[in-house]
Amino acid sequence: MKALEVSNVAAQQELLRISWRLACNSYGGAESQRSLVGDDEKMLVGTPTLKPSSLRTQSSTSMKTEMEDSDLRKFHEEFVDQFLTYCPDLKHAYPIGYLIIAKMIISFISSMVNEKQMEPMIARFARSHVKYDLDQNHFNGFGHALVLTIQKRLGKIATVGLVQIWSKVMRNLVGCMW
């Protein structure tokens, strides 16, 4: 039974990795050929071959540098629309500069889905946000907004099960942040 549990965890991690890559594709949606995450991962979209090993080797740094400004803006706009729905009290305090915020979110979640050591990053994130007087609802709003943004960007391939996996991961992440 333990082998099944391990394979289930590994399968969920792979689903997170793949779905994150697809969600980070250009705004055209999952069927778009223009990728935000690098040439090696273009094979995920519109081709029959899938090489999961190449997904694990793509660094979050190279993913960030591959993104185009307009794609980052669109990702950020979708996220902010969702986030401010949950946390309208932060509208006046939310940073205007989308580029740095979008890159930080992309880098943060890319590190998480690629199983990087998250504790130092989470601690740094939490410390840097203390000055904004945030409460648990704001962190929960971040998690909900991110899940809804991913769901929107994935479109029809965002199955109920996949959204549930992302929701669970975000609840755990938010629990660590707060």
Side-chain angles (χ1 to χ4, degrees):
M1 187 65 171
K2 272 199 186 277
L4 184 59
E5 290 174 20
V6 170
S7 65
N8 188 30
V9 169
Q12 287 185 8
Q13 189 64 33
E14 193 66 17
L15 277 173
L16 289 170
R17 248 191 304 279
I18 292 169
S19 62
W20 179 242
R21 296 299 190 265
L22 291 172
C24 287
N25 271 354
S26 68
Y27 189 69
E31 62 279 350
S32 173
Q33 288 295 317
R34 202 166 118 240
S35 176
L36 297 174
V37 293
D39 291 337
D40 289 346
E41 291 160 343
K42 286 183 184 176
M43 71 186 138
L44 285 176
V45 182
T47 60
T49 54
L50 178 64
K51 297 181 182 175
S53 61
S54 70
L55 294 177
R56 286 188 287 275
T57 60
Q58 181 72 22
S59 73
S60 62
T61 303
S62 65
M63 188 170 109
K64 289 187 305 183
T65 58
E66 295 288 328
M67 292 186 149
E68 292 186 15
D69 188 54
S70 63
D71 295 321
L72 282 169
R73 179 186 302 269
K74 290 171 185 170
F75 178 89
H76 182 261
E77 288 170 354
E78 289 175 359
F79 172 77
V80 169
D81 285 347
Q82 298 297 334
F83 182 66
L84 293 179
T85 298
Y86 285 97
C87 305
D89 58 313
L90 294 180
K91 186 173 186 169
H92 69 283
Y94 198 82
I96 295 171
Y98 71 90
L99 193 58
I100 188 93
I101 303 300
K103 283 184 176 185
M104 288 185 337
I105 292 169
I106 298 292
S107 175
F108 190 75
I109 302 303
S110 294
S111 294
M112 182 191 71
V113 299
N114 287 307
E115 302 180 87
K116 304 278 190 234
Q117 183 70 320
M118 291 299 294
E119 287 81 11
M121 191 181 291
I122 292 169
R124 196 169 49 250
F125 176 84
R127 277 192 313 271
S128 70
H129 285 72
V130 167
K131 63 186 170 198
Y132 300 116
D133 197 30
L134 302 176
D135 61 34
Q136 176 106 32
N137 291 329
H138 297 123
F139 287 94
N140 289 336
F142 171 84
H144 292 304
L146 193 58
V147 170
L148 289 174
T149 301
I150 292 166
Q151 183 177 10
K152 180 179 179 182
R153 292 181 67 84
L154 291 177
K156 293 178 182 179
I157 63 172
T159 63
V160 171
L162 183 59
V163 172
Q164 288 173 341
I165 292 168
W166 272 106
S167 296
K168 179 181 176 185
V169 166
M170 286 295 104
R171 279 191 307 274
N172 291 339
L173 180 64
V174 166
C176 293
M177 283 191 235
W178 182 248

